[in-house]
Amino acid sequence: MIGFADLLPMTDGDLATMTFLQDVVDIMLGYIVKSFDRSTKVIDFQYPNELLQMNNWELSDEPETLDDVLVNCRATLEYAVKTAHPRYFNQLSTGLDMVGLAADWLTSTANTNMFTYEVAPVFVLLEYVTLKKMREIIGWQDGHGDGIFSPGGAISNMYAMLLARFKMFPEVKERGMASLPRLAAFTSEHSHFSIKKGAAALGIGTESVICVKVDERGKMIPSDLERRIVDAKQRGLVPFFVSATAGTTVYGAFDPLIAIADICRKHGVWMHVDGAWGGSLLMSRKHRWKLNGVERANSMTWNPHKMMSVPLQCSALLVREEGLMQKCNQMQASYLFQEDKQYDVSYDTGDKAIQCGRHVDIFKLWLMWRAKGTVGFEAQIDKCLELSEYLYDKIKDREGYEMVAPIIKARMMEYGTTMVSYQPQGNKVNFFRMVISNPAATFEDINFLIEEIERLGQDL
Amino acid sequence: MIGFADLLPMTDGDLATMTFLQDVVDIMLGYIVKSFDRSTKVIDFQYPNELLQMNNWELSDEPETLDDVLVNCRATLEYAVKTAHPRYFNQLSTGLDMVGLAADWLTSTANTNMFTYEVAPVFVLLEYVTLKKMREIIGWQDGHGDGIFSPGGAISNMYAMLLARFKMFPEVKERGMASLPRLAAFTSEHSHFSIKKGAAALGIGTESVICVKVDERGKMIPSDLERRIVDAKQRGLVPFFVSATAGTTVYGAFDPLIAIADICRKHGVWMHVDGAWGGSLLMSRKHRWKLNGVERANSMTWNPHKMMSVPLQCSALLVREEGLMQKCNQMQASYLFQEDKQYDVSYDTGDKAIQCGRHVDIFKLWLMWRAKGTVGFEAQIDKCLELSEYLYDKIKDREGYEMVAPIIKARMMEYGTTMVSYQPQGNKVNFFRMVISNPAATFEDINFLIEEIERLGQDL
């Protein structure tokens, strides 16, 4: 029986390696084609204890054969959620882009790390090129500024808060929060929970995150923001950070950035735009007006792994001031960032990060951008928004199934025909949170979803 | 010409998709086989400005054809560092494991997120199984405890510091560092820079990280640790965190964990073991004694992407106390972590994380473990240590090239025959930091490296 010891780097392992990898590729190709097939289930749902018992998942002392390894690969995909399925609407990241997938395979094959130009020359340059392009699209002059790809929107938002604090109080790096006055951060009551998570982690505390009221469509009310900033100052707090949301997690609302920018300037507060979800609308000439004012922000989170359908993970933090990230985070580790290297060490971006090693997240975005062009992303985003308008028109006059969302959801999982998330918001009861970012979805899939929800809830 | 619009999810896109993906696979297979071939260069080095001009890397409005996409894939690999090459010794993560690679391809294909069981049922279970196994290997009773896979060792260490602070002062989550006394963390002067990065980010401040002296072999001196803890207390600081290092970044030294555990217990301080590099020695019956005492730690960082050669990224934080991570980091976002779900929500691990979305890093480790068994990892680690003893024996009586490390390094990059890092440490001049974690390396490759360094330095 052939095992891992027959593969490269073993002598004469070439043939066995090619055969094994090709077998895995064939399994994956079969899965991919099936994922896009509407007649297959989105998920073959099993309860955790059942799934634990349906297969032997334990780790043992002894090796398996490569045939067993292939069996494991098949089993893993069999019980996976088909996130590429045209009827998977469950999360903000849905769909599977074929060029992005190919790029992610290639990234794994290159198996390197973003800390220095030395070990990732091409990827470091592509990050440089892409971040510059994104800053141009934001509208910062000549694409100047800074940025990084981080492990997700929550970390990107945390970076922004870290930078805002450092900008106002650079001594915090050495001396900690003990040397600072009490800070206050502001974000809307519909903003993402990562703002509070970040404040907790950074030693600022969740109580220092002051929630600003939203209007009936979920947008931050600027007058309430200003009132709370003034109030915080009167209580002796120092406002240092406003996070406006471009595309809230539940309503998909866009905070009014121009009015917020005016308030931030007036009070000398760092303006961050959390565009993890809605930032991609900047690629659409038709819809980018929703982010008017973003060019006045000090920083922005923008996750191409959401509405642009780049495979997970791909989140960018863009920063208007160049050099600040480096000053805030650098520790000048001499084993990585030698100053006496033979090349321009400004390409060694690792010391900007709070991480040491950093995963290569850039190549899939870059390669998709080359394959689609800006216009390709634009078309994809415009189509998602068209589908969501269609859905809105179809259901705006129907009511009645909100109260029983969890029961319908449970049935939906068991049938596996489609997947959509649900949640309460404030004093509202549970309702379905419909996410349309899957490039595979069509008008028919929206119709199917509505009918399926009604069918599953029929006897309730 | 065929473009992205001919691929899935487009109607009848199956064939074009299979052809395109197979073309990319063929490019990768060629690259893989070449990477292990000692007659090829490790790197075809180009200076940043040259590399920028050697190809068109810019992003444009218009789409490319799929043929152009393939050209881009080839160019990217052409200038990549062959991290799988048997003579690549540059970083702590080297080598390319074929089963790990296949698993990473499959992970990309599944394209999901670790936050809930609902969207990643298999991966969530595999993380559960693997973390438990790792805790058993550490020696925690019945594998009890907690843990998470995080985006690298620096973030794992930051998690540990966050938990230690929360354990002692749970009010910090809501009220921030302003409500706390001045804290003190302790780590050796040879420890990884991420301890200070973490302290800066968490609002503790780098000045609160007190460096403990090491002996001539780079191990923390326990009596100096205790002296500094006592001294800090006298100065009114509150010692809350000791990070012992199991495998320092430069010397590869192991701090004496038993003595450190005694001191931590005596003074009521959280004991963390940063085993990002050396933690994998726990898999070796011959070498695990170097971590004796680790079972008394409160937390441990262990990066399978280093000495176990799992593809990047794969870093685990293991925690002895169950439930603490959840309490420390949870924000109970109602759109993800609905309490009225139909399955056991204790499998929804996302709220333990400071991230929201979390990349699937588990599958490659799990599949490699199945393919090799614990004994396979053990053999791989024992071989690396054998090679490093061999290297030590070969060079211990030679001297003289330390002073010129940067020049030899620059030549090495230009020839591209091998890659090894260099650095100064304290008052020592630059020297080569030889990392042996590449499973493809043999005794002959070690001989080659020594000869190559001498050849490149001949006329200096």
Side-chain angles (χ1 to χ4, degrees):
Chain A
M1 299 293 268
I2 294 183
F4 78 96
D6 299 297
L7 302 175
L8 286 169
M10 302 306 155
T11 318
D12 298 328
D14 296 21
L15 186 63
T17 300
M18 308 272 270
T19 308
F20 167 68
L21 290 177
Q22 188 62 53
D23 285 345
V24 175
V25 167
D26 291 342
I27 291 171
M28 294 190 300
L29 291 177
Y31 175 80
I32 290 165
V33 170
K34 224 168 86 176
S35 292
F36 287 98
D37 176 357
R38 290 180 174 77
S39 70
T40 64
K41 285 182 171 188
V42 176
I43 179 174
D44 180 7
F45 182 77
Q46 310 294 334
Y47 287 88
N49 285 331
E50 289 169 4
L51 185 53
L52 267 174
Q53 281 153 26
M54 291 182 86
N55 207 335
N56 167 23
W57 307 104
E58 292 302 316
L59 298 167
S60 84
D61 289 349
E62 298 305 318
E64 281 186 342
T65 66
L66 292 183
D67 282 344
D68 292 332
V69 169
L70 296 175
V71 168
N72 286 325
C73 289
R74 280 191 209 95
T76 299
L77 289 177
E78 189 176 340
Y79 300 110
V81 177
K82 297 196 191 76
T83 57
H85 197 289
R87 290 169 184 167
Y88 176 77
F89 301 104
N90 207 70
Q91 309 295 145
L92 298 176
S93 326
T94 64
L96 186 63
D97 185 274
M98 290 301 120
V99 175
L101 178 63
D104 216 20
W105 287 354
L106 191 142
T107 301
S108 304
T109 307
N111 192 35
T112 194
N113 207 313
M114 292 297 283
F115 32 56
T116 59
Y117 176 82
E118 176 179 327
V119 299
V122 183
F123 299 131
V124 163
L125 288 190
L126 298 185
E127 188 173 83
Y128 172 84
V129 165
T130 309
L131 286 171
K132 185 162 187 290
K133 183 82 176 176
M134 292 171 89
R135 290 190 302 260
E136 282 167 12
I137 290 171
I138 290 173
W140 291 335
Q141 207 188 349
D142 301 326
H144 280 314
D146 213 331
I148 205 165
F149 282 84
S150 94
I155 302 287
S156 291
N157 285 339
M158 186 190 283
Y159 264 111
M161 197 180 269
L162 193 60
L163 290 171
R165 180 176 70 180
F166 177 77
K167 175 74 179 169
M168 194 174 274
F169 300 102
E171 66 271 28
V172 70
K173 184 175 175 181
E174 283 82 29
R175 303 193 49 218
M177 290 290 288
S179 63
L180 267 52
R182 234 150 147 165
L183 305 182
F186 302 82
T187 193
S188 94
E189 52 190 353
H190 278 199
S191 72
H192 191 256
F193 69 92
S194 57
I195 305 297
K196 285 197 173 178
K197 270 209 181 188
L202 303 186
I204 293 165
T206 54
E207 283 176 4
S208 295
V209 179
I210 295 169
C211 285
V212 180
K213 280 195 182 146
V214 296
D215 65 20
E216 75 291 348
R217 296 174 64 191
K219 295 167 190 273
M220 185 191 279
I221 300 172
S223 60
D224 194 60
L225 169 64
E226 181 151 33
R227 189 179 67 75
R228 286 173 198 268
I229 289 176
V230 170
D231 177 66
K233 282 183 178 174
Q234 281 168 351
R235 288 189 290 130
L237 305 179
V238 177
F240 80 109
F241 183 72
V242 170
S243 179
T245 312
T248 59
T249 318
V250 179
Y251 284 18
F254 287 75
D255 289 345
L257 301 184
I258 293 173
I260 292 169
D262 288 341
I263 294 166
C264 286
R265 187 174 49 193
K266 180 171 164 194
H267 293 278
V269 181
W270 181 285
M271 175 179 173
H272 173 64
V273 174
D274 177 3
W277 170 233
S280 300
L281 261 60
L282 290 174
M283 307 289 277
S284 162
R285 282 165 287 190
K286 187 170 170 196
H287 298 286
R288 68 165 287 149
W289 64 269
K290 290 183 181 162
L291 286 105
N292 280 351
V294 67
E295 70 285 355
R296 294 174 59 191
N298 298 94
S299 58
M300 176 185 186
T301 294
W302 175 355
N303 288 7
H305 71 216
K306 295 198 165 95
M307 220 184 295
M308 286 160 76
S309 276
V310 177
L312 290 159
Q313 59 192 31
C314 191
S315 170
L317 175 77
L318 292 314
V319 183
R320 198 169 57 188
E321 180 177 333
E322 201 178 338
L324 191 65
M325 296 193 80
Q326 185 82 11
K327 278 183 229 150
C328 178
N329 295 322
Q330 73 182 358
M331 291 290 155
Q332 295 171 310
S334 56
Y335 77 99
L336 279 176
F337 310 117
Q338 302 91 338
E339 289 292 324
D340 50 1
K341 276 180 178 163
Q342 84 266 36
Y343 60 83
D344 177 0
V345 294
S346 71
Y347 287 97
D348 286 356
T349 56
D351 221 10
K352 286 182 191 178
I354 54 172
Q355 301 171 256
C356 169
R358 189 159 57 91
H359 191 258
V360 178
D361 296 332
I362 184 59
F363 189 62
K364 48 203 171 193
L365 169 58
W366 181 83
L367 196 68
M368 281 174 67
W369 206 319
R370 294 279 285 208
K372 287 170 192 276
T374 310
V375 295
F377 278 125
E378 178 178 46
Q380 182 179 318
I381 288 157
D382 286 351
K383 187 189 146 208
C384 286
L385 285 152
E386 195 187 350
L387 286 178
S388 68
E389 275 167 40
Y390 176 78
L391 173 65
Y392 177 77
D393 286 342
K394 291 274 280 190
I395 62 168
K396 67 178 173 206
D397 299 324
R398 307 192 193 197
E399 270 186 36
Y401 48 75
E402 289 151 359
M403 304 290 291
V404 290
I407 303 173
I408 295 179
K409 167 76 180 185
R411 292 181 177 182
M412 196 183 275
M413 293 289 280
E414 279 169 26
Y415 284 96
T417 47
T418 183
M419 254 176 101
V420 53
S421 190
Y422 71 96
Q423 80 143 53
Q425 173 82 42
N427 59 358
K428 301 256 193 337
V429 293
N430 274 316
F431 60 88
F432 285 106
R433 178 184 73 127
M434 183 59 199
V435 178
I436 302 184
S437 68
N438 192 334
T442 62
F443 293 108
E444 287 69 35
D445 295 312
I446 304 293
N447 290 338
F448 175 85
L449 176 85
I450 297 169
E451 282 157 26
E452 192 68 359
I453 288 175
E454 298 196 342
R455 181 177 79 87
L456 295 171
Q458 222 161 27
D459 57 344
L460 292 174
Chain B
M1 299 294 269
I2 294 183
F4 78 96
D6 299 296
L7 302 175
L8 286 169
M10 302 307 154
T11 317
D12 300 326
D14 296 22
L15 186 63
T17 299
M18 307 273 269
T19 307
F20 167 69
L21 290 177
Q22 188 63 52
D23 285 345
V24 175
V25 168
D26 291 340
I27 291 171
M28 294 191 298
L29 292 178
Y31 175 79
I32 290 165
V33 170
K34 225 168 82 176
S35 292
F36 288 97
D37 177 356
R38 288 181 175 79
S39 71
T40 64
K41 284 182 172 189
V42 176
I43 180 174
D44 180 6
F45 182 77
Q46 310 294 335
Y47 287 86
N49 284 332
E50 289 169 3
L51 186 53
L52 267 174
Q53 281 154 26
M54 291 183 86
N55 207 337
N56 167 21
W57 308 104
E58 292 303 315
L59 298 168
S60 84
D61 287 351
E62 297 306 318
E64 281 187 343
T65 66
L66 292 183
D67 282 343
D68 292 333
V69 169
L70 296 176
V71 169
N72 286 325
C73 289
R74 281 191 209 97
T76 299
L77 289 178
E78 189 176 338
Y79 300 110
V81 177
K82 296 194 192 76
T83 57
H85 198 289
R87 291 172 184 166
Y88 176 76
F89 301 104
N90 206 70
Q91 307 295 144
L92 298 175
S93 327
T94 64
L96 184 63
D97 185 275
M98 291 301 120
V99 175
L101 178 63
D104 216 21
W105 287 354
L106 191 143
T107 300
S108 304
T109 308
N111 193 34
T112 194
N113 206 311
M114 291 299 283
F115 34 55
T116 59
Y117 177 83
E118 177 178 325
V119 298
V122 183
F123 299 132
V124 163
L125 288 190
L126 298 186
E127 186 172 84
Y128 172 84
V129 165
T130 308
L131 286 171
K132 186 163 185 292
K133 183 80 177 181
M134 292 172 89
R135 291 190 301 261
E136 282 167 11
I137 290 171
I138 290 173
W140 289 335
Q141 208 188 350
D142 301 326
H144 280 316
D146 215 331
I148 204 166
F149 282 84
S150 95
I155 303 288
S156 291
N157 285 339
M158 186 191 282
Y159 264 112
M161 197 179 270
L162 192 61
L163 290 170
R165 179 175 72 179
F166 178 77
K167 175 73 180 169
M168 196 174 272
F169 300 103
E171 67 271 29
V172 71
K173 184 175 175 180
E174 284 82 29
R175 304 195 45 220
M177 289 291 289
S179 64
L180 266 52
R182 222 119 178 181
L183 303 182
F186 302 83
T187 193
S188 95
E189 53 190 353
H190 278 200
S191 71
H192 191 256
F193 69 93
S194 57
I195 304 299
K196 284 197 174 177
K197 269 208 181 188
L202 301 185
I204 294 166
T206 54
E207 284 177 3
S208 295
V209 178
I210 296 169
C211 285
V212 180
K213 281 197 182 147
V214 296
D215 65 19
E216 75 291 348
R217 295 174 65 190
K219 295 166 191 273
M220 185 191 280
I221 301 172
S223 59
D224 193 60
L225 169 64
E226 182 152 30
R227 189 177 69 73
R228 286 172 198 269
I229 289 177
V230 170
D231 176 66
K233 283 183 178 175
Q234 281 168 352
R235 288 189 289 133
L237 306 178
V238 178
F240 79 109
F241 183 72
V242 169
S243 180
T245 312
T248 59
T249 317
V250 181
Y251 284 19
F254 288 75
D255 289 345
L257 302 183
I258 294 173
I260 293 169
D262 287 343
I263 295 166
C264 287
R265 184 173 53 192
K266 181 172 163 192
H267 293 278
V269 181
W270 181 285
M271 177 180 171
H272 173 64
V273 174
D274 176 3
W277 169 232
S280 301
L281 262 58
L282 290 173
M283 307 289 276
S284 162
R285 281 164 289 189
K286 189 171 168 192
H287 297 287
R288 68 166 286 149
W289 63 270
K290 289 182 183 163
L291 287 105
N292 280 352
V294 68
E295 70 285 355
R296 294 172 61 191
N298 298 93
S299 58
M300 179 185 182
T301 294
W302 174 354
N303 287 9
H305 71 217
K306 295 198 165 97
M307 221 184 295
M308 285 161 76
S309 277
V310 177
L312 289 158
Q313 61 192 32
C314 189
S315 169
L317 176 77
L318 293 311
V319 183
R320 200 168 58 190
E321 181 177 332
E322 202 177 337
L324 190 66
M325 295 193 80
Q326 186 82 13
K327 279 182 231 153
C328 178
N329 295 323
Q330 73 182 356
M331 290 291 155
Q332 294 172 312
S334 55
Y335 76 98
L336 279 175
F337 310 116
Q338 303 90 340
E339 290 291 324
D340 50 0
K341 276 181 180 164
Q342 84 267 36
Y343 60 84
D344 177 359
V345 294
S346 70
Y347 288 96
D348 286 356
T349 56
D351 221 10
K352 288 181 189 176
I354 55 172
Q355 300 170 256
C356 170
R358 189 159 58 91
H359 191 257
V360 178
D361 296 331
I362 184 59
F363 189 61
K364 47 202 170 191
L365 170 58
W366 181 83
L367 197 67
M368 281 175 68
W369 205 320
R370 295 280 285 209
K372 289 171 191 277
T374 310
V375 295
F377 279 125
E378 179 178 44
Q380 182 179 317
I381 288 156
D382 287 352
K383 186 188 146 207
C384 287
L385 285 152
E386 196 187 349
L387 286 178
S388 68
E389 276 168 39
Y390 176 79
L391 174 64
Y392 177 77
D393 286 342
K394 291 273 280 190
I395 61 167
K396 69 179 171 200
D397 300 324
R398 309 191 191 198
E399 272 187 31
Y401 48 76
E402 290 151 357
M403 305 289 291
V404 291
I407 304 173
I408 295 179
K409 168 75 181 187
R411 292 183 177 182
M412 197 183 274
M413 293 289 281
E414 280 170 26
Y415 284 97
T417 46
T418 184
M419 253 176 102
V420 54
S421 190
Y422 71 96
Q423 80 144 51
Q425 173 82 41
N427 59 358
K428 302 260 195 333
V429 293
N430 274 316
F431 59 89
F432 285 107
R433 180 184 72 128
M434 183 62 199
V435 178
I436 303 184
S437 69
N438 192 332
T442 61
F443 292 108
E444 287 68 37
D445 294 313
I446 304 294
N447 290 338
F448 175 84
L449 175 85
I450 297 170
E451 283 157 26
E452 192 67 1
I453 288 176
E454 298 196 341
R455 181 176 78 87
L456 295 170
Q458 221 161 24
D459 57 344
L460 293 173

